[in-house]
Amino acid sequence: MIISTIDRTSSTRQGGEEIRWRSLARRGMLHSECDSVDYVRLSPGTEFALRGREGTESAWFVLVGSGLLREQGSEAGERTLDAGELVLLPAGADARITSGADGLELLWLVVMPRSISQSLPMRRPVA
């Protein structure tokens, strides 16, 4: 059994902005094609790229707070995100989020795209 909490987050500071994060689980712990589960906390007004890791797909779940999501690309648009909303980004997608006045807390699930996971050998957990 592996237990992980959001206590003792790591921190990145750039200018007046702060991003805090904690890895909750990694691929080897999960016995799946999930790469990781991370907790991310943005200080108020922080802009953060939601690109994820190269060659992966991401699901971003808003835990606390609100922010503005800006999608890049041919059908670029903006929308407000609030607690309880989910953003799904396919491999290669590019989006940015700016946290609102109270900051923003996100849960980030990173998975391999089907094109990769279907070519991998079947994985079986062992005790």
Side-chain angles (χ1 to χ4, degrees), residues 23-46:
S23 177
L24 300 175
R26 289 276 174 233
R27 185 169 183 237
M29 303 172 182
L30 301 171
H31 301 289
S32 73
E33 304 320 326
C34 178
D35 187 65
S36 65
V37 179
D38 295 312
Y39 165 80
V40 179
R41 182 172 54 202
L42 306 176
S43 61
T46 299

Side-chain angles (χ1 to χ4, degrees), residues 41-124:
R41 182 172 54 202
L42 306 176
S43 61
T46 299
E47 185 175 87
F48 185 64
L50 299 183
R51 281 189 294 273
R53 298 179 185 100
E54 188 170 330
T56 62
E57 297 180 333
S58 296
W60 294 87
F61 183 72
V62 181
L63 297 169
V64 177
S66 63
L68 180 66
L69 175 70
R70 284 186 310 285
E71 298 176 66
Q72 312 296 323
S74 59
E75 296 183 26
E78 287 186 354
R79 65 176 291 233
T80 301
L81 290 177
D82 293 306
E85 293 191 79
L86 179 69
V87 176
L88 301 174
L89 293 175
D94 189 12
R96 299 188 82 70
I97 192 166
T98 302
S99 58
D102 295 326
L104 193 60
E105 294 182 41
L106 305 156
L107 190 62
W108 178 18
L109 175 68
V110 181
V111 298
M112 290 183 215
R114 182 169 163 76
S115 61
I116 293 174
S117 64
Q118 70 186 4
S119 65
L120 295 174
M122 193 166 153
R123 296 179 61 188
R124 293 189 180 104

Side-chain angles (χ1 to χ4, degrees), residues 2-14:
I2 298 169
I3 299 173
S4 187
T5 70
I6 60 173
D7 295 337
R8 299 186 192 157
T9 56
S10 298
S11 178
T12 300
R13 249 184 220 286
Q14 190 167 357

